[in-house]
Amino acid sequence: NVLELMKQSLQQSDAAKLVLPVAACLGATFSVSTMIVVIRALTIHSSHSAFFRDLFSITKFVTEEDIVAMLKQCAKDSFIKAHKTSNHGDKRKKIKSEIVMKARKQERNGNGATSNESSNKRRSKPHDDHHHKKYSFTHDKIQEAALTLIPTDK
């Protein structure tokens, strides 16, 4: 049975066991930013957060970087594949981002921070590039198998 083989493969990966069931609920294609919001909501901001952490045996706080790393691991394992972001709309976002960054830089420089300090602070911020990335399951049977990882007995 292909579904059972896929399920066994997913169960061998800690990353797959956490992110792929959530991803499977979101659909065949999903964005990193949506995954981050959903996992945070389920593990932190929800009245059901303890249940969710217990359900998926989460023993530590899951950071944004953890989620991105788990998605990358799942892509490396060929469970999902990354999609290149399109340039449509990205140019507007880039221009808007540049305007905001310039304003922040001017504000920081006005408050005594040097240009180098401002750019270092900006560089140390995680994410942005991966937030717009989308992934999809490499096969519908993998998505189906990921759904079966959600325990129904709890």
Side-chain angles (χ1 to χ4, degrees), residues 100-154:
V100 169
M101 295 304 264
K102 283 180 184 178
R104 287 182 181 160
K105 184 177 179 180
Q106 288 173 349
E107 185 179 295
R108 287 184 184 133
N109 287 341
N111 291 333
T114 67
S115 179
N116 285 342
E117 287 176 85
S118 297
S119 66
N120 286 341
K121 286 179 188 173
R122 216 173 26 251
R123 272 189 226 120
S124 68
K125 272 188 148 183
H127 71 314
D128 272 17
D129 289 339
H130 61 255
H131 270 257
H132 303 292
K133 187 178 269 188
K134 290 189 177 210
Y135 286 93
S136 63
F137 286 91
T138 53
H139 196 281
D140 63 334
K141 289 293 182 190
I142 295 174
Q143 181 183 3
E144 207 176 318
L147 286 170
T148 67
L149 294 179
I150 301 171
T152 55
D153 60 336
K154 290 188 178 185

Side-chain angles (χ1 to χ4, degrees), residues 7-72:
K7 184 177 177 181
Q8 288 172 5
S9 293
L10 295 177
Q11 287 174 325
Q12 293 175 8
S13 166
D14 289 336
K17 286 190 287 189
L18 175 63
V19 295
L20 293 187
V22 174
C25 292
L26 295 175
T29 301
F30 53 92
S31 70
V32 173
S33 58
T34 303
M35 285 292 296
I36 290 168
V37 168
V38 170
I39 290 177
R40 277 188 174 167
L42 291 171
T43 58
I44 301 170
H45 305 298
S46 163
S47 59
H48 304 294
S49 60
F51 171 76
F52 183 81
R53 287 192 304 269
D54 180 52
L55 188 67
F56 289 101
S57 304
I58 300 169
T59 57
K60 70 176 190 83
F61 177 74
V62 180
T63 66
E64 201 170 297
E65 291 79 15
D66 293 335
I67 296 166
V68 170
M70 286 186 266
L71 288 169
K72 285 180 180 178

